[in-house]
Amino acid sequence: MRGLGEGLVQKPLTVAEQVANVLRESIADGSLAAGTPLRQDDLAERFGFSRMPVRDALRQLEAEGIVSIHPTKGAHVARMDTTEIREIFAVRELLESEALRLSVPNLTREKLDEAGHVLNQIDAEPNVGRWGTLNRVFHLALYSACGNARLLGLIEAHHNAADRYVRVLLSNLNYRSQSQEEHRDLLTTCRHRDAAAAVRVLRKHLGDGMATLAQAGPARKP
Amino acid sequence: MRGLGEGLVQKPLTVAEQVANVLRESIADGSLAAGTPLRQDDLAERFGFSRMPVRDALRQLEAEGIVSIHPTKGAHVARMDTTEIREIFAVRELLESEALRLSVPNLTREKLDEAGHVLNQIDAEPNVGRWGTLNRVFHLALYSACGNARLLGLIEAHHNAADRYVRVLLSNLNYRSQSQEEHRDLLTTCRHRDAAAAVRVLRKHLGDGMATLAQAGPARKP
DNA sequence: ATGTGGATTCTCGTATACGAGTGTACAGAA
DNA sequence: TTCTGTACACTCGTATACGAGAATCCACAT
């Protein structure tokens, strides 16, 4: 789980972390599809570093559930079948509902405005690749006042794990407008400090996304 | 997060994993106290391997939240202050309540008997070091039928993270007998298929433990 | 034609080596 | 005596090197 207890102390950025960041984004935006083998040599050569930092990066990504590693057989972008996606969304619903419930009473006007601003950015953003990130920023802004850093860390990790599939959703225009409607509902209920209603909207939001994904059946185990 | 998606395929046991296992246990049983620096050279020499597998092991343990690593400054057993412990227990309560709720209707008699057997083992076990493990086995047995492997993985990880502190609790004789009473209540309600009551007992169980820990104030940030 | 055996190749895990950054201790000056 | 600056020692991050195991492919036999 990335960034759980690591407070605010800024650490030197190691090569391994840079590699991990690039790989994470490449996997999230789909340029590295599920199942793609990740050869240490290839990656090392492509990035211009040795295999060691690449190894570290892969281990880190494995911990995040984004790649899976088999000793002596190598690493590949984690495949997720529909049951695994269902599991992730079930966990997300659990974690995010709780975070939202705790956060709503403590949300500052600044955070709410920030979330609203992100929504406008999503509407204005033509680049499909950025919607996923903005989507995550919006959600995390609403949870940010929950007072439990560990909970936030888990939520972020699960966002990362599901990001690939959510972006498939978001690239669908119909779903995107529906998602934005739900986002605005969510923000409104938060503004009214109605935590119960907000949680209801969130549950529907996540449930709809999951249902659409499960129906499309985008990923099956080979 | 250890053992999330790694199904049942048995992988070759790498040196790094062995080192990680030994370190995890040493940290859990208290022989490596919070804050203890973990020098790669020392560990490599002690285990008789080179630094590389040790590095891998440390990264893995960092992902589990058991050690923290600062680039260029090294690794040390993660310190947890009371707020962090509170956070962990809040997350545990959330995760385990849900898992229990989902699991209770599907628990087989075999699993229930297995859990009961573990309780008797705890009573009979004179070795303090093993209570922590047995405690975890008991809890996971009750959640095992929840149908969400990812949720179980998260629960196990958080057990590991909190293990050090829970063992401090369990070494207290009074608390141990109280804990066992609650365990038996929990098992009884599960046998009656009363999920709501089981969750109530579990919440009290975890809440009591947390309160005792927070009151004792065993760990403070320096 | 198909199945089996072996050798080659590929990839990973681990060991060793080197350079850089950080902390510390000692010496010299105020 | 105390503070500061410099040099040394320590530890980590990264690179390179080597050995082992797995997968693949081709040849040969059935």
Side-chain angles (χ1 to χ4, degrees), chain A residues 163-176:
Chain A
D163 227 11
R164 279 180 277 166
Y165 302 105
V166 173
R167 293 197 191 189
V168 174
L169 277 187
L170 290 175
S171 63
N172 175 323
L173 261 184
N174 286 337
Y175 183 79
R176 182 170 157 242

Side-chain angles (χ1 to χ4, degrees), chain A residues 94-107:
Chain A
L94 180 66
L95 296 176
E96 299 189 24
S97 294
E98 176 75 354
L100 186 62
R101 189 179 67 78
L102 293 171
S103 181
V104 164
N106 303 322
L107 275 173

